[in-house]
Amino acid sequence: METGSSSKPLGKAERVKGGGDATRHGSVPPKIEPFVPRFDHNPRELKSWAKKTGFVSDYSWGTETSASEKNDSSGFDLEKGNDLRNGGSSPKIEIDPVLGRTKPNRGIEIEPVVRHERDGTVRGENQRRRTRDEPNDDERRVRLNGNGSGNGNGNLNVNVNGIVNRNANGNEVPAVAPAAEPKKEDGGVAERDAKIDVYPNEEEPAHGGWSRPSGMKCGLRDNPGFVPLIYYGLQHYLSLAGSLVFIPLIIVPAMGGTDKDTATVISTMLLVSGITTILHSHFGTRLPLVQGSSFVYLAPALVIMNAREYRNLTEHKFRHIMRELQGAIIVGSIFQSFLGFSGLMSVFLRLINPVVVAPTVAAVGLAFFSYGFPQAGSCVEISIPQIFLLLVFALYLRGVSIFGHRVFRIYAVPLSIMIIWTYAFFLTAGGAYNYKGCSPDIPSSNMLIDACRKHAYTMKHCRTDVSNALKTAAWVRIPYPFQWGIPIFHLRTSMIMIVVSLVASVDSVGTYHSTSLRVNSKPPTPGIVSRGIALEGFCSILAGVWGSGTGSTTLTENVHTIDITKVASRRAVEVGALFLIFFSFLGKVGAILASIPQALAASLLCFMWALIVALGLSTLQYSQTASFRNITIVGVSLFLGLSIPAYFQQYQSESSLILPSYFVPYAAASNGPVRTGSTQLDFAINALMSLNMVVTLLVAFVLDNTVPGSRQERGVYIWSRAEEVATDPSFLSDYALPRKVAKCCCWAKCLGV
């Protein structure tokens, strides 16, 4: 290959052939041509065109370097270490016009060497790196010489990902992977690609491409001290209060349970959430993620409990339905554990991308639009102030700081609950819900006065003294396995929960990826993701054994909690989990939570479900949101995910005469259009096709994996590779299992051990 200048405009070799020597030595500046969009820009051309047109870039490109940088990089070829002052060529920078960052070079490997520091010490680099990795471990400031003459004219500072090589003189030179381009027939030089990363909105990472966000108070492995750990732990769980304890307020009354049963289920959920969070923190992905009763399992639970054979049960209805749910959850969780422990999840990950995750998670929240405000509207004098106060705290007052703490932003849920609950107490005590001759303790079915029947529904949902859980609950009660009886196993319900476990796994994959970017960690390997999914399945088995009514998965709201608290400490989450276990032993704690008026709980859940929709759609930030392909897939998936279940839910209207209006959409399992001749199969198919999240996942999964699209356009999740862990053990130290556990599980290579 002949060496020559790379500063000549592309396609103008004949024009400057006679004056090539002068141009190479910088005596005659190249002619500035009108800017034509292309991907093989020369740094000097970019700079000259910017000066001519007055273009101001969104990115900050430095133009000054230290003396050491000039000595180390200005005179060397980035690819082979050749001296540019003796005719070397400068690299070509390829910048993606959509994302504002460079396109990675695919499949090119570069060999690292040992880097010698100024003090004489030697530092080893990773053995092998592919330039397509994003992000890379080492980023260094190098100086790209635009004219190839070494005189310092036209220099451009960029971040180049590379490993340090050494030339014949012993000087260190950043090595950049060469682009696989053919040589020019006219004797010109072959252009070379240099991968760069731009961080327009954040500080440049000090090490690798992943850095802790500037506002993060506590990192993943930080230990701020005993007292701060308690504070951060309680803060973390208080911000998740709406997701942890409000599901029993929906399912237990629907199953015919008493107020005491509601308090018991809440205590059981606290215990299971605490145990599973600690297990996941030690043996799962080891990210600071709270495990709990997910809304993913709420819709299928409502479908099962509204089956035709359970509608007329009067004796032990709650226990019978709970045992049915326990058996279905256990079977579905076993399948999820198998999916993770067998390594099949690593294969499945190749087909899960943000365009699939975003509409699926959004559909989880949208599934309850027919329940949310219809239930909250039973007492608008409580529900509307609750929603209004939540929005004021979470949005309008989110920037208000009290003693250095964003109180309203972090504690929007518990603060609004306490204020509105107190307001509802004064309404009840002031006689707002007192009706002549009516007692709130008498069920409407036993009322003989017609005037009282129309007020029974309002009294039940609005009064704060309706629940007798606080009177009947014991001070100390420890939830125990199979407290509701031996689980009941049926094929139809097991099939439903197996499919739902897949939806929960897809939800968790998106949460793992988003959380890893927020806590200063590189993305986990597919094996680590499989390990997390496997442990989630095991944790859901525990939830089924204890009888919490739903499975235990990673809460989607974890991403929002880490964003608002700026705390990503694993120990803080574990300390908070210990408090949950302690509170689960106090029966009165569950009783107090069970006393929350149903209208108040429903209005809060309206906000929580809307937040899940927003968090799901925010996953699209990892893909090209302006792509017609992506927005079409997401739009079609969401629309069909709402419309197809509506067809199954409205197929027969006889349920509307029996069930409350907000439960009619969950009665399609017994009344759906599918008739195969098998009662079990009919029930399962009708139930699954009436679930918004299942239909949305199916449509998005098929479209995203069949419609053509580049990896960059699709926003394919970039997971770390096992080879990187083998060459650099500290690469994924945040995900490493405890030493003793890792020794026992060294055989499980598919789990990232």
Side-chain angles (χ1 to χ4, degrees), residues 433-479:
Y433 307 113
N434 292 340
Y435 302 99
K436 185 177 181 180
C438 302
S439 173
D441 299 327
I442 302 176
S444 59
S445 60
N446 295 332
M447 289 184 181
L448 300 178
I449 305 176
D450 294 336
C452 294
R453 292 182 182 179
K454 63 180 181 181
H455 300 303
Y457 188 79
T458 302
M459 291 189 293
K460 180 181 178 181
H461 287 75
C462 302
R463 294 184 67 95
T464 57
D465 58 355
V466 173
S467 176
N468 60 358
L470 196 59
K471 302 176 183 177
T472 58
W475 279 99
V476 177
R477 185 189 183 278
I478 300 177

Side-chain angles (χ1 to χ4, degrees), residues 22-34:
T23 302
R24 278 193 295 268
H25 293 288
S27 58
V28 179
K31 182 180 179 180
I32 300 176
E33 299 291 339

Side-chain angles (χ1 to χ4, degrees), residues 32 44-56 63 153-155:
I32 300 176
R44 184 174 182 180
E45 293 176 6
L46 284 175
K47 184 176 180 181
S48 302
W49 175 83
K51 287 183 177 180
K52 177 182 177 181
T53 61
F55 174 77
V56 179
T63 56
N153 296 328
N155 292 331

Side-chain angles (χ1 to χ4, degrees), residues 57 71 100 108-109 183 218 275 307 406 486 494 576 647 658 731 733:
S57 174
N71 295 334
I108 307 299
E109 294 187 359
K183 296 181 180 181
C218 193
I275 294 176
R406 301 291 176 87
I486 302 300
S494 299
Y647 167 73
I658 305 173
F731 186 71
S733 56

Side-chain angles (χ1 to χ4, degrees), residues 331-352:
V331 174
S333 302
I334 292 175
F335 172 80
Q336 188 179 16
S337 294
F338 172 78
L339 190 68
F341 283 123
S342 64
L344 292 177
M345 192 64 200
S346 299
V347 180
F348 190 44
L349 278 179
R350 303 173 185 175
L351 307 176
I352 302 176

Side-chain angles (χ1 to χ4, degrees), residues 47-83:
K47 184 176 180 181
S48 302
W49 175 83
K51 287 183 177 180
K52 177 182 177 181
T53 61
F55 174 77
V56 179
S57 174
D58 293 333
Y59 308 110
S60 176
W61 301 91
T63 56
E64 296 296 329
T65 54
S66 62
S68 61
E69 288 176 323
K70 292 181 180 180
N71 295 334
D72 290 342
S73 61
S74 62
F76 294 95
D77 183 6
L78 295 177
E79 177 184 357
K80 294 186 177 180
N82 297 330
D83 195 339

